[in-house]
Amino acid sequence: TAPYALAADDPAEFDEIVVSASRIERSLKTTPRSISIISAEEIRASTATSVVDLIRREANVNLQSFFGSDKFATLDIRGMGATATSNVLVMVDGVRLNTDDLAGPDFSTISLSQIERVEIVRGGNSVRYGNGAVGGVINLITKRSMRATPQLDVQARRGAFDSDDYRLHAAAELGPLALSVDGADVDSDGYRDNEFIDKQTGAVRLDAFAFDDALELSLRASHHEDSYGLPGPLSLADFKGSARDRRRSD
């Protein structure tokens, strides 16, 4: 059969998604860059339990994790390899998450319950964002209150190795103010012995509007704490041994 073709009076329609590749708002299809957008609907439908687990599924993004969790994990774009921590810039609402000591961003401080969408821009962006953006830029956009539409979203998940994932998002309008509250509690025993992680994250965002929304001010505060175990190295003999040997921690 002949392939399907669009008729002249049946044009294709594309959803326009604003991106920050040029630091000027424009639609995705008119931006001459290699960009991926992970929308709120995709985040909610995903089985990912962390930000790195969500982003690593995108093309040309490689995850480096020695402990199987988002703690000390690195996202590599464009083959930066061991230098990805200092050559891939990660931002939260346009604010750098990378540390000054080149140790890389701590993704465990941002829970999926806070994320509205993710913008991944591949390729050098040092001219626009400064140092640390040779491989690309990952911009995490946090949720904000949808004015006049109260929101409440609660999720609870349980997985293998006694993994629990609880998320909460609530938002409401208070006159000229819009308040958004997010919280998450994630813990897992991990695949290997002493590979546990237990983390709690919370964030509050307050948006103020004035002059018929011509002026908008935003204030965001967050808190994070975690505890984790380090399983240690694994010998070649243990790796080739039984499942019990591979899970052992020295």
Side-chain angles (χ1 to χ4, degrees):
T1 58
Y4 174 76
L6 291 174
D9 57 350
D10 186 23
E13 294 184 1
F14 300 89
D15 293 331
E16 294 203 355
I17 303 176
V18 175
V19 298
S20 58
S22 60
R23 287 205 172 188
I24 300 175
E25 294 185 353
R26 59 192 302 181
S27 66
L28 177 61
K29 63 181 180 180
T30 60
T31 304
R33 298 300 300 270
S34 176
I35 304 170
S36 296
I37 304 293
I38 306 177
S39 65
E41 292 76 13
E42 292 172 320
I43 295 174
R44 181 171 178 79
S46 171
T47 58
T49 58
S50 65
V51 173
V52 295
D53 191 22
L54 175 74
I55 299 176
R56 71 176 179 86
R57 309 177 188 198
E58 297 299 310
N60 199 26
V61 178
N62 300 311
L63 171 62
Q64 302 174 13
S65 176
F66 293 101
F67 306 109
S69 68
D70 54 351
K71 195 69 178 179
F72 304 117
T74 301
L75 290 173
D76 181 8
I77 300 178
R78 292 287 169 91
M80 292 292 108
T83 64
T85 55
S86 58
N87 286 304
V88 176
L89 178 62
V90 180
M91 302 186 300
V92 179
D93 293 331
V95 179
R96 285 172 171 259
L97 189 62
N98 296 58
T99 57
D100 294 333
D101 60 0
L102 304 181
D106 186 357
F107 287 98
S108 67
T109 61
I110 303 295
S111 67
L112 282 178
S113 63
Q114 303 178 33
I115 305 302
E116 174 67 24
R117 75 178 187 274
V118 181
E119 303 174 352
I120 304 171
V121 185
R122 299 171 181 81
N125 284 270
S126 295
V127 173
R128 297 184 179 89
Y129 294 101
N131 63 314
V134 176
V137 175
I138 299 173
N139 195 10
L140 308 175
I141 311 297
T142 60
K143 294 179 180 177
R144 55 179 292 180
S145 173
M146 301 296 293
R147 302 190 67 189
T149 306
Q151 301 172 341
L152 178 62
D153 185 9
V154 179
Q155 297 185 44
R157 303 183 182 185
R158 183 166 179 79
F161 310 113
D162 290 330
S163 300
D164 296 307
D165 183 359
Y166 303 101
R167 307 178 198 173
L168 167 69
H169 171 71
E173 178 186 3
L174 306 171
L177 304 177
L179 179 65
S180 177
V181 179
D182 295 277
D185 186 350
V186 179
D187 66 85
S188 175
D189 288 346
Y191 175 74
R192 296 184 60 199
D193 296 341
N194 198 43
E195 197 182 23
F196 73 91
I197 184 168
D198 185 6
K199 57 182 181 179
Q200 295 79 39
T201 305
V204 177
R205 175 170 175 169
L206 182 64
D207 296 291
F209 302 89
F211 306 111
D212 294 328
D213 295 348
L215 176 64
E216 176 182 350
L217 300 176
S218 297
L219 176 64
R220 182 177 178 273
S222 63
H223 173 75
H224 170 81
E225 61 181 49
D226 62 46
S227 59
Y228 54 91
L230 302 177
L234 189 67
S235 67
L236 180 60
D238 288 338
F239 180 78
K240 292 182 177 180
S242 64
R244 177 64 265 176
D245 292 335
R246 288 192 293 271
R247 296 185 64 182
R248 191 171 64 186
S249 177
D250 295 329

